[in-house]
Amino acid sequence: MSVPLVQLVGIPQRGDTRGGLAVAELGGALPFPARRIYWIHGTQPGVSRGFHAHKRLRQLCVCVAGSVRMSLFDGRREESVILDSSATGLLIGPGLWREMHDFSADCVLMVFADAEYDEADYIRDRDQFIRHVHSS
Ligand code: TYD
């Protein structure tokens, strides 16, 4: 059996009658220390994003508002998942081509990453990515 590309983690919910509160902490939902946090928001209608892979970076993606469809490709198989809840995170390890489609207008996608931004860690060409995974 092949390992699923889509790896979801539950984000503990600590809300109460006052409202919601979700927690991503090391040893809980977050399997690595976060060295960078960014969020994607205000994506224009019809726009898809991503279209790259990372050589080493690990990320946890949480859609804290709205919805987005995440597509993952390992060079052989493609799997898709809709993120529409701050109670679920998507772990993306190295060596996965990712695309983000069907952003809702109100989507806020928060991303926890285990390293600072480094353009040298990106593979932005799909054919180069396929060669990379088949040679490693
Ligand atoms: P890009 O990788 O194109 O975003 P996406 O994959 O979501 O479409 O990044 C957009 C720009 O932001 C690009 O110029 C790189 C820059 N950027 C940073 O400077 N730091 C970061 O942590 C990230 C994720 C992007």
Side-chain angles (χ1 to χ4, degrees):
M1 266 272 286
S2 45
V3 184
L5 305 184
V6 170
Q7 293 192 20
L8 298 175
V9 294
I11 313 276
Q13 300 297 301
R14 298 287 177 258
D16 55 33
T17 53
R18 296 168 299 168
L21 195 159
V23 184
E25 68 181 327
L26 187 61
L30 199 56
F32 51 76
R35 296 184 65 91
R36 175 166 54 109
I37 301 164
Y38 62 92
W39 46 98
I40 292 170
H41 60 97
T43 302
Q44 296 299 300
V47 169
S48 294
R49 306 194 58 146
F51 300 95
H52 63 256
H54 287 282
K55 297 172 190 167
R56 287 177 296 277
L57 192 70
R58 299 172 73 197
Q59 292 166 300
L60 176 71
C61 305
V62 185
C63 186
V64 297
S67 64
V68 61
R69 180 168 61 87
M70 308 288 292
S71 161
L72 300 178
F73 174 61
D74 69 354
R76 294 176 182 82
R77 294 178 294 131
E78 190 271 340
E79 288 179 18
S80 235
V81 63
I82 292 171
L83 299 183
D84 61 2
S85 163
S86 68
T88 305
L90 173 66
L91 277 173
I92 307 181
L96 285 174
W97 183 264
R98 86 285 316 273
E99 299 178 6
M100 294 165 266
H101 301 282
D102 306 334
F103 283 91
S104 64
D106 61 345
C107 179
V108 181
L109 182 67
M110 187 164 291
V111 183
F112 301 83
D114 72 350
E116 293 84 348
Y117 178 76
D118 175 12
E119 187 58 37
D121 189 60
Y122 279 72
I123 304 173
R124 292 191 182 272
D125 180 272
R126 197 172 187 274
D127 291 335
Q128 187 191 338
F129 167 69
I130 291 169
R131 286 195 296 276
H132 174 82
V133 289
H134 288 276
S135 68
S136 55

